[in-house]
Amino acid sequence: MKRPNPGLLVVLAAAAAVHLAVAVLDFPTLARNFLYDDAFYDFQIARHIAQGAGPTFDGTHLTNGFQPLYVALIVPFYALAGSNDTLPIHAALILSALFTVATAGLLYRILARRVSEAAAIIAAGVWSFSPIVIRQTANGLETAVAVFMLAATVCYYLEKVRPEARVGARRAITLGVLAGACIMARADLGFLVLAMCLDYLLVRRRLRAGHGWRREVATAGLACLVVCLPWMIYGVLAVGSPFPESGKATRYLSLAYAPFFGLGPSITADGPTASFMAGHFVRSVETFKVVPLLHPMFRAIKKAGMRFDAPHSGELAADAAGLLLLAGLVVWWLRRRRGEESATCREFEFLLWFSVMMVAAYSTFVFGVFFFLRYYYPLYFIGMIFAGFALHDAIRFVQSRSLHVRRLSLVATGAYATALLFMGYSTSFRSQPIYGFYDVAAWIRTHTDSDDTIGVFQSGAIGYLSGRKVINLDGKVNSEAFQAMREGHLDAYVASAGIDLLMDSADVIDLFLGPWSDADRKRLDSERVFSGGEHGVPGWIGYRISPSADSNASGPPSGAHGINPDRAP
């Protein structure tokens, strides 16, 4: 067996130190800086499973609105931690950190077959220390696990399956199990499985392998189905669908929130508007500015614009640079494909197909206005695979030039590495709180009765940390709320669900429970018990639902009707 490259071991050890250091930061810092609200859905569901209550967020409604592989991995942490609420989260982040380090190792392995050791090690290092990877590793979600599964599946496919004229049953089953685990890690990795399958069929056609491919594909497909089928059956029994209910809710919310992101009216009787889809696609593509190898360049352009009091010009310059870079990369790849590296290029192009499928799905159907960074995280990894090829070619080009050029390239590389490491440090250890859910939960713990039921749209962290029963109202883990919201009867659901206190951003509450009359707004002001601006959470409000027998004084405001069902997605 080939001995590990010492340079790679240094990179992986340093990566482990950084990511583990973030994972063990004090919990308030993690909650305010790193942990997504949706992560607490996973934590709460895992805690309930460990306690024997089953896959439920609020203790009442079963849900399949989570990625099952990740939750299954963290359930033991809750079984062992007892009543400690923060220790399992630290354990989950440590697990994610280890998966990220392992992913860096797999990135090196995938590349080292086709590029120089130096290019492969640099790619692994850029991946490990980039800001987007540090933040997504510590987001508390399945992100790191999903990308590790993607990397493991791609690595196995390229090494053990694709090059072979015949694939034995053992390898076909292994690939099928890995593919199933990908889907269990993140449902959208089903696009990877599809792209891999199409590539495999094209390879078999080129090799004129006869009809044996049918048995191989059937074997791998059956193994994949065996892995996924129990989860799909559970979904049908729990919420009436084999697909995660969070996906439907996310699409609905993306359309509903469109005005908040300057995307205008999102939907008509004929479906999503053209302007919404165009704006959504632009926002989607812009997120690729954080691909690890390119992030420092785009960040520097943006900072320059801010330095000269021209942020809009900085954004335009970054967009222009991105378009020019994209055109250059297309030309580079096409030339590479026509040259000596043609076979290598074809070997990896199924990853481009997968990327196109993902962008098309999230830009034209699933949507996800403010989720793209984590949704496209697998594509950032794939971007680093192709970046490895670009680094390989760049190193060869520089080595063939004069000493002066080599020195200049060394200086440029040092400046780039310094910028990347500083950005990674700033992301990891300079506290810049951006999530207020921790503080809302703290207020609830100290200002509400222990038997109060709280209704919240963005309810993950509040449900986990508040010590109260919290009902999810945006439908991600509550099919009843989603149905009521979709039909425009959320006000009736709030009244019937036994909710004592309604809390969230004022804009969100108004969107789904408004519009309100002047009398309703006056009543809201009189019943308000929480003003977020006074507690470091600007824009949030909370009001108690009066337990009056008078129908006009109980439940949500009488004029509330939610989103027009004719406009619902």
Side-chain angles (χ1 to χ4, degrees):
M1 176 180 285
K2 183 180 178 181
R3 297 180 64 180
N5 185 293
L8 174 67
L9 294 180
V10 170
V11 167
L12 296 183
V18 170
H19 288 283
L20 290 173
V22 174
V24 297
L25 289 172
D26 64 281
F27 183 74
T29 297
L30 289 171
R32 293 188 177 107
N33 290 269
F34 291 96
L35 296 175
Y36 285 2
D37 187 56
D38 286 3
F40 288 93
Y41 292 131
D42 291 340
F43 298 149
Q44 181 80 323
I45 290 166
R47 176 161 64 181
H48 281 153
I49 292 173
Q51 294 173 347
T56 173
F57 172 73
D58 56 20
T60 301
H61 302 92
L62 291 177
T63 180
N64 70 341
F66 59 96
Q67 308 299 337
L69 179 59
Y70 176 64
V71 169
L73 290 173
I74 65 175
V75 165
F77 301 150
Y78 285 92
L80 295 172
S83 59
N84 191 312
D85 293 333
T86 59
L87 182 60
I89 294 178
H90 283 294
L93 296 184
I94 289 171
L95 180 68
S96 293
L98 296 176
F99 271 116
T100 292
V101 175
T103 300
L106 287 171
L107 175 61
Y108 165 85
R109 180 166 174 169
I110 290 168
L111 286 170
R113 299 169 55 250
R114 302 301 184 198
V115 305
S116 66
E117 290 275 319
I121 291 173
I122 292 171
V126 171
W127 171 260
S128 300
F129 301 113
S130 65
I132 185 64
V133 173
I134 292 172
R135 292 206 69 85
Q136 294 300 314
T137 295
N139 68 13
L141 284 162
E142 73 287 337
T143 320
V145 176
V147 171
F148 170 81
M149 289 309 312
L150 179 150
T153 303
V154 168
C155 187
Y156 188 84
Y157 174 68
L158 292 175
E159 289 185 2
K160 304 295 185 181
V161 176
R162 196 179 192 276
E164 302 299 321
R166 276 189 162 186
V167 178
R170 178 176 296 179
R171 290 188 178 182
I173 291 172
T174 302
L175 182 64
V177 169
L178 286 171
C182 275
I183 296 171
M184 292 294 95
R186 265 202 73 84
D188 53 17
L189 292 187
F191 289 123
L192 172 70
V193 177
L194 176 59
M196 197 164 53
C197 183
L198 292 173
D199 178 69
Y200 182 75
L201 295 179
L202 290 175
V203 170
R204 287 296 174 264
R205 182 179 180 182
R206 280 199 299 267
L207 294 176
R208 301 183 184 279
H211 298 295
W213 64 268
R214 295 176 179 173
R215 173 184 52 80
E216 296 164 358
V217 170
T219 302
L222 181 60
C224 180
L225 183 62
V226 167
V227 172
C228 299
L229 190 59
W231 172 247
M232 297 170 69
I233 292 173
Y234 162 75
V236 172
L237 295 176
V239 300
S241 172
F243 305 108
E245 60 181 340
S246 54
K248 294 186 295 183
T250 294
R251 182 173 190 271
Y252 183 98
L253 294 170
S254 295
L255 291 164
Y257 289 157
F260 294 167
F261 294 89
L263 297 176
S266 60
I267 195 164
T268 66
D270 297 324
T273 64
S275 61
F276 169 79
M277 295 182 71
H280 209 79
F281 177 75
V282 170
R283 290 181 63 89
S284 170
V285 172
E286 284 182 340
T287 63
F288 287 97
K289 292 176 182 176
V290 301
V291 169
L293 190 65
L294 306 178
H295 196 179
M297 179 191 77
F298 287 112
R299 183 66 174 168
I301 295 173
K302 184 176 180 179
K303 282 286 188 181
M306 297 173 65
R307 174 69 177 80
F308 293 101
D309 295 323
H312 182 65
S313 297
E315 289 287 352
L316 290 177
D319 291 342
L323 291 174
L324 289 173
L325 181 62
L326 178 61
L329 290 174
V330 170
V331 171
W332 162 72
W333 188 256
L334 291 176
R335 292 184 63 181
R336 206 174 198 278
R337 202 178 190 280
R338 289 195 297 266
E340 297 177 356
E341 302 291 343
S342 176
T344 298
C345 290
R346 289 199 304 270
E347 183 180 9
F348 286 85
E349 282 182 346
F350 75 96
L351 296 175
L352 294 178
W353 306 345
F354 163 61
S355 302
V356 170
M357 290 179 192
M358 286 279 282
V359 173
Y362 280 112
S363 298
T364 65
F365 181 75
V366 180
F367 307 122
V369 176
F370 43 77
F371 301 113
F372 282 127
L373 287 179
R374 84 165 185 254
Y375 288 169
Y376 285 173
Y377 189 63
L379 305 190
Y380 304 154
F381 176 79
I382 289 170
M384 283 309 304
I385 293 178
F386 289 95
F389 290 114
L391 288 167
H392 174 74
D393 290 353
I395 290 171
R396 287 197 305 181
F397 175 82
V398 170
Q399 288 176 338
S400 68
R401 297 304 183 227
S402 66
L403 179 61
H404 179 66
V405 172
R406 293 201 296 271
R407 286 175 174 172
L408 284 177
S409 66
L410 187 62
V411 171
T413 300
Y416 171 87
T418 300
L420 181 73
L421 292 174
F422 178 75
M423 290 169 64
Y425 164 76
S426 297
T427 294
S428 304
F429 305 115
R430 298 177 73 181
S431 180
Q432 298 173 322
I434 53 179
Y435 304 126
F437 306 108
Y438 178 87
D439 299 292
V440 176
W443 182 90
I444 291 174
R445 280 198 310 272
T446 56
H447 291 82
T448 64
D449 296 332
S450 60
D451 58 350
D452 276 343
T453 297
I454 319 295
V456 190
F457 292 90
Q458 304 166 88
S459 57
I462 294 170
Y464 185 89
L465 298 170
S466 67
R468 305 292 183 264
K469 180 174 182 177
V470 172
I471 302 294
N472 168 249
L473 295 178
D474 69 9
K476 289 182 180 179
V477 288
N478 182 352
S479 58
E480 290 183 7
F482 175 73
Q483 189 65 25
M485 183 170 60
R486 186 182 177 91
E487 294 175 354
H489 302 307
L490 191 60
D491 55 327
Y493 176 77
V494 169
S496 66
I499 291 173
D500 301 297
L501 191 70
L502 186 65
M503 300 188 70
D504 213 289
S505 162
D507 289 338
V508 171
I509 294 176
D510 185 62
L511 176 67
F512 293 112
L513 290 173
W516 293 320
S517 66
D518 291 341
D520 286 330
R521 291 190 180 279
K522 184 176 180 180
R523 178 190 150 205
L524 281 179
D525 288 339
S526 68
E527 295 182 346
R528 183 180 300 188
V529 294
F530 176 80
S531 295
E534 300 172 3
H535 302 277
V537 196
W540 273 63
I541 63 170
Y543 67 90
R544 183 167 290 279
I545 298 174
S546 303
S548 170
D550 185 346
S551 60
N552 289 326
S554 62
S558 57
H561 62 266
I563 293 179
N564 188 328
D566 293 332
R567 292 167 51 87

